[in-house]
Amino acid sequence: MATEVVIYTVVHQPRRIKLPAQPIPLGASPADIARCVFDERMNERYFRKVANTCYYPATETFLRLTRLGMKLAIGFSVSFLRQAEQWDPALLARFQELVASPNVELIGVEPYHSFVFLLDMPLFVARMRWMSDEMQ
């Protein structure tokens, strides 16, 4: 019979694509391409909704439980981290407080929460190394 349980969770927030699609002009910069592809108003609206209904309550619960001895492993997608940095630094600070707990282990996850490991293992390894650097 198990005497300890470790909970593992991944925090991911996708970026929504603009519909209808916008043409990408020739010679567009990465920032210009992102403006053509992603719907940032919708992304912010969904991020804030999920932050209030899920991320904040879950983080508070995890903080309380880890202080009582529960062990937790948690990973973050780059998509979530970038959106949190942009739209809710206080939420990011709460997650940083959680990760600083001795009962919390930070787990590396594929940066964009994709299935690249099924298609290109060297790219997956490179992304995981990059993600490790980003998490620092």
Side-chain angles (χ1 to χ4, degrees):
M1 177 176 208
T3 58
E4 293 188 25
V5 174
V6 176
I7 296 173
Y8 168 63
T9 187
V10 173
V11 181
H12 173 63
Q13 184 68 27
R15 290 178 76 191
R16 279 112 182 131
I17 297 192
K18 268 185 190 174
L19 294 175
Q22 292 184 340
I24 298 171
L26 287 174
S29 70
D32 291 334
I33 294 170
R35 278 190 287 279
C36 291
V37 172
F38 296 109
D39 188 336
E40 293 306 330
R41 283 186 20 213
M42 184 187 313
N43 286 321
E44 181 178 6
R45 186 179 73 225
Y46 277 107
F47 180 88
R48 292 188 186 283
K49 179 180 179 179
V50 174
N52 289 325
T53 60
C54 178
Y55 298 144
Y56 274 107
T59 303
E60 294 307 315
T61 299
F62 287 149
L63 279 165
R64 183 173 39 81
L65 292 172
T66 55
R67 289 176 185 138
L68 294 172
M70 182 189 82
K71 302 205 185 305
L72 172 69
I74 190 168
F76 298 92
S77 71
V78 166
S79 178
F80 168 79
L81 293 173
R82 295 292 181 258
Q83 291 180 64
E85 285 174 338
Q86 184 173 1
W87 296 315
D88 199 340
L91 175 63
L92 198 54
R94 294 303 284 165
F95 275 117
Q96 288 169 329
E97 181 182 345
L98 178 64
V99 169
S101 166
N103 286 337
V104 176
E105 180 180 3
L106 188 58
I107 301 293
V109 298
E110 202 287 325
Y112 299 102
H113 206 58
S114 76
F115 293 103
V116 73
F117 66 90
L118 293 172
L119 306 171
D120 187 340
M121 187 53 73
L123 177 59
F124 174 73
V125 170
R127 278 186 170 181
M128 292 302 290
R129 287 187 178 129
W130 175 77
M131 185 61 173
S132 177
D133 292 341
E134 285 293 303
M135 294 307 290
Q136 295 301 323

